[in-house]
Each structure stands twice: as structure tokens, then as C-alpha cells.
Amino acid sequence: MKVQSAMFYFPEEVIEHIFSFLTHHPDRNTVSTVCKAWYKIERLSRREVFVGNCYAIRPDRAAARFPGLRSLTLKGKPHFADFDLVPPDWGGLAGPWIEAMARSCPNLEELRMKRMVVSDESLELLAHAFPNFKALVLVSCEGFSTDGLAAVARSCKSLRELDLQENEIEDRGPRWLNSFPDMCTSLVSLNFACLKGEVNLKSLERLVCRSPNLKCLRLNRAVPVETLAKIMNQCPNLEDLGTGSLLADQFSEAYVSLISALQKCKKLRCLSGFWDASPLCLLAVYPICANLTGLNLSYAPTVQGQDFINLIQHCVKLLRLWVLDSVGDKGLAVVASACKELQELRVFPSDLFAAGPATVTEEGLVAISTGCPKLNSLLYFCHSMTNSALITVSKNCPNFTRFRLCILEPRKPDPATNEPLDEGFGAVVKTCKNLRRFSISGLLTDQVFYYIGKYAKALEMLSIAFAGDTDQGMTYVLNGCKNLRKLEIRDCPFGDGALLADVTKYETMRSLWMSSCDISLRGCKALATKMPSLNVEIINEWEAEMEENLNNGVAEVISNNNNKHINNGNDERKVEKLYVYRTVGGPRTDAPDFVWTL
Amino acid sequence: MSPPLVEHNYMGPSGALSTEASSPDLRQTELRLGLPGSESPERKQLTLELLPPSAKGKRGFSELKKDGGPSGDNLGSQGKEDKANKGKLEEKKPTGAAPAAKAQVVGWPPIRSYRKNTMAITPSKNKEDAAEAKQGASCLYVKVSMDGAPYLRKVDLQTYKNYRDLSTALEKMFSGFTSGGSAHVGPTDLINGSKFVLTYEDKDGDWMLVGDVPWEMFAESCRRLRIMKGSDAIGLAPRGEKSKIRN
């Protein structure tokens, strides 16, 4: 009996049906490589595509491969662009993608983009090209204004989700909210918290009134308590709320109606906003704290001290908490005692300008780890950290999948012993077998990288700054971390030796970023020569030399033979910023003149 | 005597201001910001150095840190020296995206620009001292005009704690313009004296006599100052009335 070719006798519809249970895109990528038949079935039935680097593939090719595409997720600029390390106009343009989708995938329903540059024209095109468009999610994007939002609101007849997270949006006035047509009643999720300007409150109220399915609503700072109360009275089924400005007088009507409105929202699970929150308004929140699973106070410096403690002690079901370090170790101790289910904690620095008294220390972190053993995701900014604290933390919480610790002063040693923090971070990688994302800081030698290479087998993303002694450090990581996808390094003494230690490794990764390290043009050229499947891009401001070449266009810059400046013989020049990524799309055609592809 | 127009760079690095006065006469009208009553040895008139001469713009902060200097919160209890530092601190706040104090390193600490920019407009408030916190939120430069003077000056109201300090400062600033130039105009003359009356324009646009309300209230509502000639001050408080100044 021929069992081994049984699959070939299945009709395509059956295989397609089997594939429909594969939602995880790496799995779908894998099945598509089995054979031509499966490749074809898979690509025609694929509904969701994730492109982690928008330059890894040309938009047209992606659209052609997946004509049935309904949902597209794109990421543009390198992660360090969040911290101003990538010059403006670097790229990450959404336009070509939206145009390609408009041509080939008219059934597009969802578009999620992160760190991309989106223009109003592109949003306009989006609004008209996709009749079934349902969800637009933009995270850390820029290049558009409220006019673009108006276009989307106006023309997307079945818009369900408009989610704007931490974007830089040019505010051209509050009229965009009016653009939602009167017959638009399909909104489920609306987040405009990052808009800086005024909002037409009446329009907002009317919009909410005609959106019975609204589950998530995040307002911006311009929305006062009066409006918030009215809105909440309209949607008692709200699950996720971002408040506007939480300032109200004690006996004002606004305050009283806020209290009663909040009490009606029995399904509220997630709260954020808290702009300018007064202690009084916090009191109004207490009754719903017991059911909260998510709480974001990271934009609320007014919520600290006893106010914070009073609030957080009720939040017994909390899973995710984002706070400022002004809550202090004391506040974190209360979190540890109250929030036993906590899985994710982020502690942001509250004051970047003055070096005030230390607000959270290793004590707070140890307390959290003791009280919240389910913690698996951490982002912690602090002034100092000790090895013993890190060792304790990793013993208490072996389940970390994301661990990011930022000690504010670069290269700071363990203050108790004056030693590097190699052992502390080493303990984390040894104990946390599922660690996927890791960011380290403080004084660190090559030893920490030895540990990472040896133990962090599940690691996918590593961020390093001001660490290491020699090339060996980076080499440990490249050799040891089998699942590494993204490596970003700044201000470390790694040079050409490290860069070229294992060049084929970069083909297994999404990208490598190195800035302010010790690599030279010669090393980068060598990498480019050995690995044609990679784009090796350097960002340099060698101004004087670039003057001549400015008008010559990108094509000549890319071509090694013609470029005077890349090939003027001085290959020993240090490369300030290097971005290497695998791609099937060839060199970028939209690179600005300060980006050179070798 | 018409002093040349000299552009003062208030926000720039230190040192520039003190070199710009070219003649002794001009020094009296030269804007040098200083703390009233502060112990600096060269002080004869009001000077508030933007920064210690040795420090560059941003490094002023690391000096603050070493001294265990003030944050925005606990100013009320600190002395004048710290208030000077605070003045420097707050000068920097409006620039918003200035990098972290200690490390002048681009992109460090790794915080998203969106968050940095948003938090820069959200100064941390100290509940116990709301007034202090409000002052801490921004500089409060107001124009000061004096009848008969060829040009106006600007003062930062937050560098003064009471009316007396303000009056002293203004008197010194404008002493070159009083008729009979060398006459010494006493510190309280601007408020009590016969020659001049100090008035201010408040938030509602009304011209008010300086001195009626508590200092904090005044500082908050004052939009500009005008030193009126006594002869113009018809309808304001009669000359002989006792001062109602509250500090």
C-alpha cells in the first residue's frame, strides 16, 4: 500500500483546509517550501502576511505572490530609529506598499505598520482602493497629518479599527473626526491618544453614540472629564479605555457623572491615559480596579506616592502594568504584594533632565520578582543594579521571555562590588530558557557575551550598548545564538574581525545594526562582497566628500565601480552606522544620498 | 547718550553676556541676570549668570547632580543657591528634546522620541508645593517698560521671591534713565516713591498697581510691567498711603 504519496491524492481544497489551521506565519512559510504544489496552495490561500523588514522584498513581488492577501503587517525603520539614531528621510516608505496592494490585492482589509513613513496621499489612496478595508494600525509612524486620517474616516465604509500608537502626526485641526460619515456605525476600536491638538467634542460624542460595537476607545489629552463621562454613559460595554485629561473639581457635575459612568462599565479591563490625573479622579477609578488586567500610568507623573499605592492595591488581577519610576521602590513593593498575576512590567524614567534622587533601584525589582513569579516580560529603567539582585530575580522568575534592563548611566558597575554585571545578566540567560528578547546595560565585559552565546538558545533579539572589550564578545553571540534574528549594537568596541567572523550567519537573521563601533569601510565592503544576498548599507556623513556626488543619483552610489567616494582608496575610514539585512529585493531604490549600499 | 542696540543671547552658553558691555555707563543698563542678595563677590548690581563661567551648557546639570542638586520637586526647602541652579534647570526645559543630563549621548537613554517629547511638556508636579511646581513649569519673562526710556527690558519673574526683590532689580536696571541720572533712587521708591509708580498688566488686560496681591498671585497673572511716571499715575493709590506690600 502506497502510504507515502497519500497526500498527493488529496484534492487541493482539502490541503487548503488543512492549511487554514496554520495561522502562525513561520509555519506557513515552512509548508510553502515542501513542494511546488504546496507552495501554490499555500500562497493562494494565505490571508495574513507579515513582513518584518519592508526592504526584504519588493512590494510588487509580495503582492503578486499572495493575491488573496487580506491582512498585511509591515515594519520599516530599524529599531534604533526610535532613539534618533537613524537620520530623517532614511526611508521606510509606506507608499510603494500601498500602491502595490492597490494594484494587486484589492481585498485588503487590514494594514498594520510600525516605524514607517506614511503620507497623506498614501492614506487617501488606501481609503479609496480597498472597499472592504477594516483596520488601520500605525505604531511609531510619521509623515502624515489629520487630513490623512480624515480621508480614511470618510471613505472606509466598514472601518472597524483605527489605532494610532505613539505616532508623530501633524495636527491640522479637529475636523477629521467629523469625517466619519453618519452611517458609519461599525467602529470597534478607536485610539487617537497620540494626537496633540484639540478634538471636536460634539463630534466625538456623536460618533460614540452611533458605534454600538465600540470596545476600545483611547482619547487624547484634549478630552475633558465632562466628555469622558458622557461617552462612558453611552458605552457601558467598553473593555479598553484611554482617558483624556483627568482633572475635575470635587463637587463638579463632571466628577459626579464620571463616578457613576465608571461604575456602569463592568467590562472594563484595560485603562490608560490618566493625563494630569488629580487624586480625586483617581478615587473614581477604585471601584473598577479589581477587574483590571491592563494599566498604563506611564504618561501620568501626577500618580505617585500614596496615590499610586491606593490605586494599585486594588488591582489584584493585573497582568500588565506600565508605570513611571516615580512610584519608587515603595510603590513597586505594593505592586508585588497586590498583583500576584502580573506578567508584564514596564518602568519608565520620569525625569530625563534633572538627576533627582534615585527613584527605583534593584530593590524594587527584587521585590517584584519575589511577589510576582509569573512575570515574563520586563522593561526596567533604573539608576543602578547589582549582580546579586539580578541573580535573585532570575531565580524567582525563570519564565522571562522578554528582559530589558536599562541602567541610565552607561558602563556603570555593580555599586556594591564595583564589578561588571556579567554574572547578573549571565544568571538571567542561564535560568530563563525561553528568553527571546534581551537588552543589557551597565558595565559589561566579553564574559557576558560568552554566557549569552552559551545559554541563550531561544534568543531572537539582542540589544547591546556600551558593552564588551574585544571582537570576541560579538563573536560569541554570532556563534552561539542559533535563533538570533535581530542584533543591534551601539558604542561597543567590536571591529571588522567580529563583523566578518561568521558572515553566513547574517543570512539567517533579519538584520544587524552597528553604530559607533569599530568597523571600517574595508570590513563592510568585504561583507558585501562575500554575501550578495545581503544589503550592506552604511550611513555616513562624510560631508566634504559627498558634495560632488549629491546630484549623481542613487544608481551611481550603489555601483561600486563609479563611486568616487566609496572607492577613493581610504577604506580604513570608520563606519559610523551600519545596517545589514537579508533581502530578495536587491539594493534599495529609494535610498537617500547619505545611505550607501555597498 | 544713546546706548547701541546690543543683542543678548539669553539661552546661549555662558560667558557671552558678561563680555558685551563696553562702557561703564552701559554696564548699568546691561542685562545681567542675577539673584538679588546673592553672595557672588562681583555683585554690585543684579546679575544672574546663566551658568557658571566654566561650565558648558549641558554640563551644568552634572554639576547639579554631584551636589545632590534640586530636582523640580523639592525647591521650597532649598536655599538661594539652589534656586539659581533651578533657574538654570528651568531654562533648559523649554528646549524639550534636550538629552539626558549626565550623558550627552544621542539616543540615550533609549526612550522613544514620542515619549520624550510628551513627557517634556508634562513636568512632574509636586503635590505639596503646587505653586512651586507651577513656577517650575516654565520661564516667566515679562516685558518691562519705563516711561521715557528708549527701550524696554525683560525680566524673569520666577527669579524673584517677593516684591522687594523685584523692585530692587528694576530700580537697578533702570537707574540710568531716571531724570537727574545720578540721583540714587531707593529700593522701595519704585513702589512707594513720588517719582514713579510700578504697574502691571494682568491676564485680563487690565493695568493694576503692583503690590496689592500676594507675590505668587501677582507673578502668575502678570503679563507685563510698566514703570509709570508719578505725574501720570492719576487715579491710582495716593502717594501718602502706607505700603500694602506683602512679601
Side-chain angles (χ1 to χ4, degrees), chain A residues 11-54:
Chain A
E12 277 188 16
E13 294 81 20
V14 175
I15 301 184
E16 193 179 312
H17 183 66
I18 296 173
F19 285 178
S20 70
F21 293 99
L22 295 174
T23 47
H24 198 37
H25 67 89
D27 292 337
R28 294 203 68 119
N29 292 344
T30 308
V31 302
S32 69
T33 61
V34 167
C35 64
K36 278 201 178 133
W38 281 28
Y39 177 87
K40 183 179 157 219
I41 297 170
E42 195 283 319
R43 80 173 185 91
L44 292 176
S45 61
R46 176 101 69 134
R47 297 286 172 257
E48 292 169 17
V49 171
F50 171 81
V51 182
N53 173 5
C54 65

Side-chain angles (χ1 to χ4, degrees), chain A residues 285-495:
Chain A
V285 172
Y286 291 175
I288 49 161
C289 285
N291 286 324
L292 284 184
T293 57
L295 183 59
N296 182 353
L297 296 169
S298 66
Y299 288 102
T302 50
V303 182
Q304 48 173 300
Q306 195 58 41
D307 290 330
F308 173 71
I309 290 175
N310 292 342
L311 180 68
I312 205 69
Q313 63 189 8
H314 300 289
C315 302
V316 294
K317 290 198 190 146
L318 209 58
L319 301 177
R320 277 177 331 273
L321 176 63
W322 292 21
V323 288
L324 292 169
D325 64 0
S326 44
V327 304
D329 284 338
K330 204 165 161 215
L332 291 181
V334 178
V335 173
S337 69
C339 311
K340 293 301 183 192
E341 304 297 314
L342 198 67
Q343 293 178 6
E344 175 180 326
L345 175 68
R346 297 196 190 187
V347 181
F348 293 96
S350 52
D351 198 341
L352 299 176
F353 301 111
T359 38
V360 295
T361 68
E362 67 273 8
E363 283 180 30
L365 186 58
V366 169
I368 291 278
S369 71
T370 315
C372 312
K374 296 188 185 176
L375 198 65
N376 60 42
S377 174
L378 179 73
L379 171 61
Y380 199 77
F381 285 84
C382 57
H383 287 270
S384 68
M385 183 55 58
T386 64
N387 280 312
S388 79
L390 282 175
I391 291 169
T392 307
V393 167
S394 47
K395 272 204 203 106
N396 291 338
C397 298
N399 296 320
F400 276 118
T401 54
R402 288 182 283 275
F403 191 96
R404 292 189 282 168
L405 184 73
C406 178
I407 300 166
L408 290 167
E409 184 186 328
R411 300 197 186 89
K412 188 163 181 189
D414 178 336
T417 62
N418 229 29
E419 283 175 4
L421 290 169
D422 301 331
E423 297 306 312
F425 284 106
V428 176
V429 288
K430 276 184 220 166
T431 337
C432 304
K433 307 263 184 267
N434 295 323
L435 194 66
R436 292 199 311 263
R437 183 166 180 185
F438 204 31
S439 296
I440 56 182
S441 56
L443 183 64
L444 295 163
T445 71
D446 285 348
Q447 184 64 23
V448 73
F449 299 113
Y450 169 75
Y451 289 138
I452 293 175
K454 184 164 178 192
Y455 295 108
K457 294 306 178 189
L459 193 64
E460 294 177 4
M461 180 170 176
L462 180 62
S463 309
I464 311 171
F466 305 102
D469 304 315
T470 72
D471 285 350
Q472 187 60 57
M474 183 170 161
T475 310
Y476 283 139
V477 172
L478 291 175
N479 289 341
C481 297
K482 297 290 168 228
N483 284 306
L484 195 63
R485 290 194 293 123
K486 285 185 283 186
L487 181 58
E488 44 186 28
I489 305 173
R490 62 164 295 177
D491 293 276
C492 295
F494 304 140

Side-chain angles (χ1 to χ4, degrees), chain A residues 82-85 114 140 166-168 193-194 221 275 298-299 301 304 307 324 348-349 352-353 355 381 406-408 410 465-466 490, chain B residues 61 65 71 89 93 96 98 100-103 105-122 124-125 127:
Chain A
D82 278 349
F83 317 132
D84 300 325
L85 286 181
K114 187 169 185 181
S140 278
E166 302 198 337
N167 302 289
E168 292 294 340
C194 64
R221 201 172 181 177
W275 304 100
S298 66
Y299 288 102
Q304 48 173 300
D307 290 330
L324 292 169
F348 293 96
L352 299 176
F353 301 111
F381 285 84
C406 178
I407 300 166
L408 290 167
F466 305 102
R490 62 164 295 177
Chain B
F61 292 104
K65 180 172 174 168
S71 65
L89 199 76
K93 272 221 193 295
K102 257 212 141 179
V105 182
V106 174
W108 193 265
I111 310 236
R112 267 195 195 155
S113 337
Y114 170 84
R115 178 174 288 277
K116 260 197 231 171
N117 295 338
T118 308
M119 293 309 286
I121 344 170
T122 312
S124 53
K125 292 191 168 87
K127 280 187 329 176

Side-chain angles (χ1 to χ4, degrees), chain A residues 25-26 29 46 48-59 62 66 71-81 90-93 97 111-116 139 460-461 485-488 509-512 579-584:
Chain A
H25 67 89
N29 292 344
R46 176 101 69 134
E48 292 169 17
V49 171
F50 171 81
V51 182
N53 173 5
C54 65
Y55 290 116
I57 182 172
R58 295 274 166 99
F66 302 112
S71 165
L72 177 64
T73 305
L74 288 171
K75 291 190 181 181
K77 300 187 201 177
H79 175 230
F80 275 359
W90 174 87
L93 302 172
W97 283 91
L111 182 59
R112 295 183 168 77
M113 296 195 285
K114 187 169 185 181
R115 277 191 289 273
M116 295 197 67
V139 181
E460 294 177 4
M461 180 170 176
R485 290 194 293 123
K486 285 185 283 186
L487 181 58
E488 44 186 28
M509 290 166 53
R510 184 187 299 171
S511 65
L512 166 73
Y579 186 48
V580 178
Y581 55 93
R582 68 179 175 194
T583 179
V584 295

Side-chain angles (χ1 to χ4, degrees), chain B residues 40-71:
Chain B
S40 170
E42 72 247 27
R43 186 177 318 276
K44 290 229 169 99
Q45 41 169 304
L46 218 52
T47 49
L48 175 73
E49 270 88 20
L50 271 182
L51 288 162
S54 55
K56 296 231 178 67
K58 290 159 193 163
R59 216 162 291 145
F61 292 104
S62 50
E63 289 172 12
L64 283 179
K65 180 172 174 168
K66 285 190 207 124
D67 297 338
S71 65

